[in-house]
């Protein structure tokens, strides 16, 4: 999916690294997707005071909602997109020649690097769709790599004591995803059967956060409802999770991301000039290739704001 907000805000970037183990809630924002009737997403990343968790820099939850989702061709730079449908199927096409259907339990991982464009459409007549869209910021020395696409229909599972985690990227215990990523990180869909208490193995050098999607999960003694992102900080070797009823959550984590990022519309960069150049290239039909099966239809870039886009200096909250 895309950041379709017609007036995207400049994202402030501040570091929260160095806090150690914490439990802090970040409320979701309901963001209307401009131009598409009735579509909204719940966005928990980036947050004003939590720009990244590891290299994870964007986390939207869409649905569950009956809708015809049609996201026309649009560009990305400097990131990887992680598309994770939980209900419904999504038809993905991109400028590196991919034309695939992604189904629940399967991972679409698109690397934008220097530049890619793609489109995403739901399949069927107003199907029930529920999906996560996440972005991973590429590190500075990989931000301009060649675009690419991977679909993973089989993913490893970490299973213990009524907990079943599907590992999309990175590793959880002995379950390691084959997906190509560029910084040390983890992303996993964690299902808990009713009555489960289990431990998730974590890397203490990572910071982590958990988004409860269905039901309620007790995390290290704190009841966590669906909706807000629970930031867990660093320094944890394991996380005790339990659920009285069936529950589902998404775990993200990684080495605290060192770079100051400028995020605007669908671009991740490190300067105003990089963003402005990407926007101009999209508007002029350069850099982002062509998507087979599409004509001239596309999502136009919004106007740049009247101020210079700047990364915030990193400082503790
Ligand atoms: Mn997109």
């Amino acid at each position: 999916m895309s950041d379709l907000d017609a007036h995207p805000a400049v994202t402030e970037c501040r570091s929260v690294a160095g806090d150690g183990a914490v439990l802090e809630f970040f409320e979701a924002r309901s963001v209307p997707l401009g131009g598409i009737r009735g579509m909204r997403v719940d966005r928990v990343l980036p947050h004003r005071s939590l720009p990244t968790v590891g290299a994870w820099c964007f986390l939207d939850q869409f649905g569950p909602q009956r809708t015809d989702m049609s996201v026309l061709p649009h560009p990305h730079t400097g990131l990887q997109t992680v598309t994770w449908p939980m209900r419904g199927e999504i038809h993905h096409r991109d400028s590196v020649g991919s034309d695939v259907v992604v189904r629940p339990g399967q991972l679409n991982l698109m690397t934008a690097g220097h530049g890619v464009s793609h489109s995403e459409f739901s399949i069927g007549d107003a199907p029930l769709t529920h999906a996560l869209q996440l972005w991973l910021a590429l590190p500075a020395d990989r931000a301009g790599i060649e675009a690419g696409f991977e679909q993973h229909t089989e993913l490893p599972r970490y299973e213990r004591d009524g907990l079943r985690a599907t590992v999309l990227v990175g590793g959880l215990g002995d379950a390691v995803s084959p997906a190509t990523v560029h910084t040390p990180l983890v992303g996993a869909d964690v299902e808990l059967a009713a009555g489960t208490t289990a431990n998730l193995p974590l890397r203490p050098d990572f910071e982590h956060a958990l988004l409860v999607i269905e039901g309620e999960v007790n995390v290290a003694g704190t009841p966590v409802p669906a909706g807000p992102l629970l930031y867990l900080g660093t320094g944890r070797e394991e996380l005790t999770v339990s659920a009285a009823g069936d529950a589902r959550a998404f775990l993200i984590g990684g080495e605290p991301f060192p770079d100051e990022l400028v995020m605007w519309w669908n671009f991740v960069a490190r300067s105003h000039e990089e963003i402005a150049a990407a926007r101009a290239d999209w508007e002029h039909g350069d850099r982002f290739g062509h998507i087979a099966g599409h004509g001239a239809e596309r999502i136009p870039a919004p106007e740049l704001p009247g101020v210079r886009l700047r990364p915030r200096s990193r400082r503790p909250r």
Side-chain angles (χ1 to χ4, degrees):
M1 268 161 272
S2 161
D3 184 356
L4 299 179
D5 188 342
H7 303 284
V10 177
T11 300
E12 300 174 356
C13 296
R14 277 188 277 176
S15 173
V16 294
D19 286 343
V22 298
L23 290 173
E24 187 174 354
F25 285 103
F26 291 86
E27 293 299 324
R29 290 179 292 136
S30 179
V31 179
L33 299 186
I36 298 175
R37 184 177 44 200
M39 268 182 66
R40 300 182 75 86
V41 295
D42 292 314
R43 183 165 301 162
V44 292
L45 269 185
H47 188 279
R48 185 175 293 271
S49 57
L50 186 67
T52 50
V53 176
W56 300 100
C57 62
F58 187 92
L59 172 46
D60 270 0
Q61 181 174 185
F62 173 74
Q65 184 179 347
R66 288 200 176 276
T67 188
D68 292 308
M69 184 186 81
S70 54
V71 181
L72 289 172
H74 61 278
H76 290 287
T77 60
L79 56 85
Q80 294 180 287
T81 61
V82 171
T83 305
W84 184 245
M86 295 176 285
R87 287 181 188 167
E89 299 178 344
I90 297 170
H91 183 197
H92 165 101
R93 284 172 283 180
D94 64 37
S95 58
V96 296
S98 315
D99 185 339
V100 300
V101 173
V102 60
R103 300 180 169 86
Q106 303 179 351
L107 169 66
N108 261 24
L109 178 67
M110 185 179 72
T111 301
H114 182 61
V116 76
S117 57
H118 74 143
S119 68
E120 292 166 294
F121 291 81
S122 55
I123 293 175
D125 183 16
L128 184 62
T129 302
H130 189 193
L132 299 181
Q133 163 95 134
L134 305 98
W135 297 353
L136 287 167
L138 290 168
D141 62 350
R142 311 271 179 93
I145 60 175
E146 196 174 325
F149 178 81
E150 294 176 12
Q151 183 175 49
H152 294 278
T153 58
E154 301 286 334
L155 292 166
R157 290 220 168 93
Y158 177 87
E159 296 185 86
R160 297 286 189 284
D161 308 325
L163 176 151
R164 187 176 77 160
T166 304
V167 181
L168 283 70
V169 293
L172 199 60
D174 50 10
V176 179
S177 169
T180 304
V181 291
H182 299 274
T183 53
L185 54 82
V186 64
D189 184 330
V190 181
E191 293 172 281
L192 294 163
T196 294
T197 296
N199 289 324
L200 283 169
L202 302 183
R203 274 179 55 168
D205 57 326
F206 281 11
E207 56 181 348
H208 294 89
L210 191 79
L211 176 68
V212 175
I213 293 165
E214 291 171 3
E216 182 178 279
V217 180
N218 191 294
V219 180
T222 298
V224 182
L229 186 71
L230 177 64
Y231 180 68
L232 297 160
T234 56
R236 296 178 186 271
E237 297 194 350
E238 62 178 20
L239 188 70
T240 303
V241 290
S242 62
D246 290 344
R248 186 174 192 177
F250 201 87
L251 175 75
I252 57 175
E255 281 186 358
F257 199 75
D259 297 359
E260 297 175 352
L261 298 173
V262 181
M263 288 176 60
W264 182 82
W265 195 40
N266 292 309
F267 304 134
V268 172
R270 285 161 179 79
S271 72
H272 176 96
E273 286 72 21
E274 281 181 79
I275 296 276
R279 182 192 181 280
D281 285 349
W282 177 244
E283 290 305 288
H284 296 146
D286 298 332
R287 191 200 300 205
F288 297 98
H290 178 72
I291 304 171
H294 281 292
E297 70 273 21
R298 60 193 270 282
I299 300 176
E303 291 298 323
L304 280 167
V307 296
R308 263 184 77 77
L309 303 171
R310 287 194 303 185
R312 283 296 184 95
S313 49
R314 298 178 69 87
R315 58 179 185 270
R317 283 167 296 170

